[in-house]
Amino acid sequence: MPEVESQAASVLTYPVTRKGDVVDTYFGVQVADPYRWLEDDRSAETEAWVKAQNKATQGYLEQVPYKDKIATVVKNLLNYERISAPFTEGDYTYFYKNDGLQNQSVVYRQKGEGEPQVFIDPNKLSDDGTVSLAGLSFSNDGSLAAYLTSTGGSDWRELYVIDTNTMEKVDTKLVDLKFTGVSWYKNEGFYYSSYDKPEGSELSEKTDQHKVYYHKMGTAQKDDIAIFGHTEDQKHRYVGAEVSDDNQYLMISAANSTSGNRAYLKNLNDTNATWITVKESIESDVYLLTNKGEDLYLATNYQAPNSKIVKVKASAPNVENWQDVVSETENVLSPSTAGGYIFAEYMVDAISKVFQYTLDGEQVREIALPDIGTAGSFAGKQKATTTYFTFSNYTTPTTIYSYDITTGKTALFNKPASAFDGSQYVSKQVFYTSKDGTKVPMIITQHKDAKLDGSSPTILYGYGGFNVSLTPQFSSTVAAWLELGGSYAVANIRGGGEYGKAWHKAGTQLQKQNVFDDFIAAAEYLIDNKYTSSKHLALRGGSNGGLLVGAVANQRPDLAAVALPAVGVMDMLRYHTFTAGAGWAYDYGTAEQSKEMFEYLKAYSPVHTVKSGVEYPATLVTTADHDDRVVPAHSFKYAAMLQANHTGTSPTLIRIETDAGHGAGTPISKTIEQYADIYGFTLYNLGVKNL
């Protein structure tokens, strides 16, 4: 256990942030936006502000005496071989592997029992590891592969096609793809999605009409065929295409937000075929799971908030004809298929249970899992006889098992040799009561000898939105926090998907305060039960979770000593005006929606609820200058507001990663630096004297 004492930080002098005179009017109410100028990510003034803030932050962090030790711990726990679940394409088995400290994982392949060979090494795509592999898709026979790359963590992609036999690039490079999968039609071509490239900043300009194209091999990108989303009546913010396993059908998913979609189907064997509506209502979700001839198998939460699997004929696929194959249960379903079977993973209080079903809906068996935690993958071709699954929890590094689809026999395939000794730590699930009486689960992980005396430096992590479920997963950086003497708690608050659609909706729009109340109640449970105390507690979350931390820190500045909002959505009155932000309106609502919605958003928006003369927690806002998902202006404006209004000696700083995005594809080298700073700041402001 680290030695803890009270540490008074010296009063900081922050860089001067100019205040502008921008005022917006919503329903007759004037709202000042003094830092609007920080939204211009291409201006010299913003660039100078970023440099000044980073200099101030690094100057503060230099006084943390054990930052180098933290970096060493993080580095050591990341330095072990990690591989993904294998998958078969053509004559080869493919998998991702990281030797330990490689900036990006490498794609390998092997034929039969032969030696694995490097297939794609993203580390060779750039000198500093900032170009990452962002997607990989194979043609039907595995002879061609399309891979996507991202530069600096951007959501914009480039696409390359290679011949998997010669390893040579074939065909033209495609550019300016965004929020896309790649779905092959035989070996002839593939479907992909993108937006028109914005005229202004591609990092922040609004993009709201997604379009599906078909690229035929051997043709130029300018000649790609418009498939869906190009007309006004087909306009949606998110559109994707999926070709059925037998190349007979094309299914389009069209959505305006991150929840709910329309679906349309076309028979690719009929040159005169037109779009057939599968589901017109946009209030629920549906996607193609697999098909067997004309029988389509769909996963949906239509009239089934916890999801189910239905079967329908492709000739008449609309909802009136759907037949249940695997009916809805009280637990949330996440299905996949392999070897002609359905694998149904259920969340039971955020813990995995997995069952195997026939395509007729007959249960074959429950799959025995090695422990309490999260299982995943269970994917494969229709003719596969073996599938692989991953298993992990907060103390077990991701382990891979093979599974015989016919016999149900499970065998250990790969157990990583992590330096982390999980046997020294315990995870415990508790249920606590939120403000309105709702029972909420939380998993607390700490050293097995930790004392419940309120002294443990503790990070409380949450997300609470977009139907995202926080299930037990191993993270080397979380393991580092545990090894540094900390405790780690994850609250499964409303807004997430742990208990299905109802749990999600209970944390959206005019019910968003439930999310913050659940998180506050989680912190109070940890304090009341002596897992920690306010002066030893840090709040952490990213993206929508960054909003969570900002809102809670503003509402209850006394709750925790440290706040760590990462890449957060902080300006709730303007979030929908940037990039694809308008697609988040299902969860948030918008300021233009109604006077009631405007007032509700303004009442919790982190940028708008910072008050002068209040002592806020020590805050380290983190973002990246190339984040085009949640633009960095959110974090810039929040940090500026805190620095202008906060009283007391606790620091309110911002750390702005350069040449990085929302988080995906972050090089290992940057990850080590980030966590040395974040954990150093946290422990220092929780009163840890030495480690």
Side-chain angles (χ1 to χ4, degrees):
M1 175 63 67
E3 184 180 346
V4 176
E5 68 170 28
S6 175
Q7 292 187 141
S10 57
V11 176
L12 275 161
T13 301
Y14 300 106
V16 175
T17 306
R18 175 177 66 83
K19 286 188 176 183
D21 55 5
V22 175
V23 176
D24 294 314
T25 302
Y26 300 87
F27 301 96
V29 178
Q30 290 192 323
V31 180
D33 192 358
Y35 304 118
R36 177 73 61 83
W37 62 270
L38 284 168
E39 293 179 5
D40 186 353
D41 53 76
R42 299 188 297 178
S43 78
E45 188 179 16
T46 300
E47 183 181 0
W49 185 88
V50 166
K51 288 180 179 178
Q53 290 289 342
N54 273 340
K55 184 178 179 181
T57 298
Q58 291 305 320
Y60 175 86
L61 291 171
E62 284 172 4
Q63 68 185 303
V64 178
Y66 37 70
K67 208 175 77 161
D68 289 345
K69 180 176 181 178
I70 295 172
T72 299
V73 171
V74 173
K75 182 177 180 180
N76 288 343
L77 289 179
L78 282 166
N79 191 14
Y80 69 96
E81 184 180 281
R82 302 179 292 281
I83 74 169
S84 71
F87 55 96
T88 301
E89 298 289 350
D91 297 330
Y92 291 90
T93 297
Y94 293 81
F95 59 92
Y96 291 77
K97 185 178 83 167
N98 192 306
D99 291 340
L101 297 178
Q102 289 175 290
N103 277 323
Q104 306 291 342
S105 294
V106 178
V107 184
Y108 286 82
R109 70 176 181 179
Q110 66 184 106
K111 183 181 285 188
E113 299 300 318
E115 284 295 311
Q117 299 175 322
V118 172
F119 181 61
I120 298 175
D121 184 355
N123 298 290
K124 294 182 177 179
L125 299 177
S126 62
D127 293 335
D128 58 0
T130 56
V131 176
S132 60
L133 188 65
L136 177 62
S137 178
F138 291 83
S139 65
N140 279 57
D141 64 2
S143 65
L144 297 170
Y147 67 91
L148 296 158
T149 63
S150 167
T151 300
S154 172
D155 282 332
W156 291 98
R157 310 284 191 243
E158 293 184 347
L159 182 147
Y160 303 86
V161 180
I162 54 175
D163 182 313
T164 60
N165 294 313
T166 66
M167 298 301 294
E168 297 293 323
K169 287 180 182 175
V170 295
D171 207 48
T172 184
K173 177 179 78 172
L174 304 190
V175 298
D176 298 336
L177 281 61
K178 188 173 183 181
F179 295 155
T180 185
V182 176
S183 191
W184 282 87
Y185 174 68
K186 301 180 181 178
N187 288 344
E188 298 175 9
F190 51 83
Y191 297 87
Y192 68 92
S193 307
S194 196
Y195 305 90
D196 294 337
K197 198 68 177 289
E199 293 181 7
S201 168
E202 65 179 62
L203 294 177
S204 58
E205 200 75 18
K206 188 173 181 178
T207 49
D208 66 352
Q209 184 162 359
H210 216 196
K211 301 174 181 181
V212 171
Y213 297 86
Y214 176 70
H215 176 77
K216 186 177 181 180
M217 294 293 293
T219 63
Q221 185 175 4
K222 67 180 177 60
D223 297 324
D224 288 352
I225 301 167
I227 298 298
F228 190 93
H230 299 259
T231 61
E232 193 62 29
D233 63 317
Q234 292 180 350
K235 182 178 178 181
H236 291 82
R237 290 195 185 95
Y238 309 111
V239 181
E242 182 73 23
V243 178
S244 64
D245 294 337
D246 60 1
N247 291 289
Q248 189 170 350
Y249 302 104
L250 176 67
M251 191 167 182
I252 293 288
S253 169
N256 283 323
S257 71
T258 49
S259 288
N261 70 323
R262 298 185 174 99
Y264 306 96
L265 189 75
K266 183 177 282 190
N267 188 335
L268 294 175
N269 291 340
D270 181 357
T271 55
N272 297 316
T274 56
W275 292 111
I276 304 173
T277 299
V278 179
K279 185 175 70 68
E280 182 61 31
S281 166
I282 207 165
E283 298 303 312
S284 58
D285 302 275
V286 66
Y287 65 90
L288 178 65
L289 196 57
T290 189
N291 76 302
K292 187 176 181 181
E294 197 192 2
D295 289 332
L296 306 178
Y297 292 84
L298 311 174
T300 184
N301 57 15
Y302 174 74
Q303 296 184 347
N306 292 339
S307 294
K308 63 181 179 180
I309 299 168
V310 299
K311 179 174 73 172
V312 69
K313 294 292 182 186
S315 56
N318 54 317
V319 294
E320 291 79 6
N321 298 319
W322 291 2
Q323 297 176 331
D324 285 8
V325 174
V326 178
S327 298
E328 182 189 24
T329 71
E330 63 181 352
N331 299 309
V332 179
L333 167 66
S334 299
S336 58
T337 61
Y341 288 89
I342 295 167
F343 290 87
E345 185 216 333
Y346 291 96
M347 272 190 299
V348 182
D349 296 328
I351 307 297
S352 289
K353 280 198 172 186
V354 185
F355 297 85
Q356 182 180 349
Y357 288 90
T358 68
L359 290 178
D360 294 325
E362 178 184 345
Q363 184 178 310
V364 178
R365 62 179 70 91
E366 180 178 357
I367 298 169
L369 300 178
D371 201 348
I372 293 172
T374 302
S377 293
F378 291 104
K381 306 287 189 186
Q382 287 190 353
K383 294 182 179 179
T385 57
T386 301
T387 186
Y388 298 86
F389 68 92
T390 59
F391 180 84
S392 75
N393 54 37
Y394 294 114
T395 60
T396 304
T398 301
T399 306
I400 300 168
Y401 295 85
S402 64
Y403 177 80
D404 188 302
I405 294 172
T406 303
T407 66
K409 183 180 179 182
T410 298
L412 179 66
F413 179 78
N414 178 267
K415 182 178 181 180
S418 168
F420 181 69
D421 183 4
S423 67
Q424 297 301 302
Y425 300 88
V426 292
S427 287
K428 177 184 179 183
Q429 186 172 56
V430 300
F431 291 82
Y432 64 90
T433 304
S434 190
K435 183 177 181 179
D436 65 356
T438 300
K439 293 286 186 186
V440 182
M442 174 166 59
I443 294 180
I444 306 164
T445 305
Q446 56 185 173
H447 195 276
K448 63 181 183 180
D449 297 329
K451 293 180 173 60
L452 298 184
D453 60 3
S455 67
S456 179
T458 299
I459 289 177
L460 171 61
Y461 184 87
Y463 187 78
F466 297 94
N467 205 39
V468 172
S469 302
L470 299 183
T471 59
Q473 302 275 4
F474 183 78
S475 163
S476 293
T477 53
V478 171
W481 175 255
L482 296 171
E483 283 217 349
L484 291 165
S487 298
Y488 189 75
V490 177
N492 297 108
I493 56 184
R494 281 173 285 184
E498 288 86 350
Y499 294 104
K501 195 69 174 174
W503 193 253
H504 173 209
K505 291 191 76 170
T508 61
Q509 298 206 23
L510 295 174
Q511 300 182 93
K512 187 67 177 176
Q513 185 60 40
N514 287 336
V515 180
F516 311 139
D517 290 342
D518 288 358
F519 202 55
I520 290 168
E524 290 175 335
Y525 178 94
L526 294 170
I527 294 164
D528 292 346
N529 289 275
K530 305 294 185 184
Y531 285 97
T532 191
S533 60
S534 288
K535 67 179 181 178
H536 297 131
L537 177 63
L539 308 178
R540 179 162 168 76
S543 195
N544 174 73
L547 160 63
L548 168 71
V549 171
V552 168
N554 287 5
Q555 291 181 15
R556 285 289 306 276
D558 62 315
L559 188 63
V562 173
L564 302 168
V567 293
V569 187
M570 300 306 206
D571 186 338
M572 298 310 297
L573 301 186
R574 286 181 54 75
Y575 76 87
H576 58 295
T577 65
F578 305 115
T579 60
W584 312 335
Y586 181 95
D587 264 56
Y588 298 148
T590 69
E592 288 85 8
Q593 187 174 317
S594 68
K595 188 171 189 293
E596 182 184 25
M597 194 73 246
F598 153 68
E599 291 172 344
Y600 193 88
L601 287 167
K602 184 174 179 291
Y604 76 76
S605 174
V607 164
H608 299 93
T609 51
V610 175
K611 297 181 175 67
S612 61
V614 174
E615 185 167 358
Y616 289 100
T619 303
L620 181 62
V621 180
T622 53
T623 188
D625 65 349
H626 279 65
D627 190 340
D628 50 8
R629 185 85 54 85
V630 180
V631 295
H634 284 282
S635 295
F636 294 174
K637 291 163 80 171
Y638 182 58
M641 287 295 293
L642 281 175
Q643 291 175 1
N645 291 281
H646 164 71
T647 189
T649 57
S650 296
T652 53
L653 300 168
I654 182 168
R655 184 189 190 279
I656 305 151
E657 190 69 71
T658 55
D659 295 320
H662 198 57
T666 301
I668 291 290
S669 56
K670 283 185 182 287
T671 298
I672 294 167
E673 295 169 3
Q674 287 171 0
Y675 279 90
D677 286 350
I678 292 167
Y679 288 167
F681 177 90
T682 302
L683 291 168
Y684 194 70
N685 284 284
L686 294 182
V688 174
K689 183 179 179 183
N690 56 54
L691 292 174

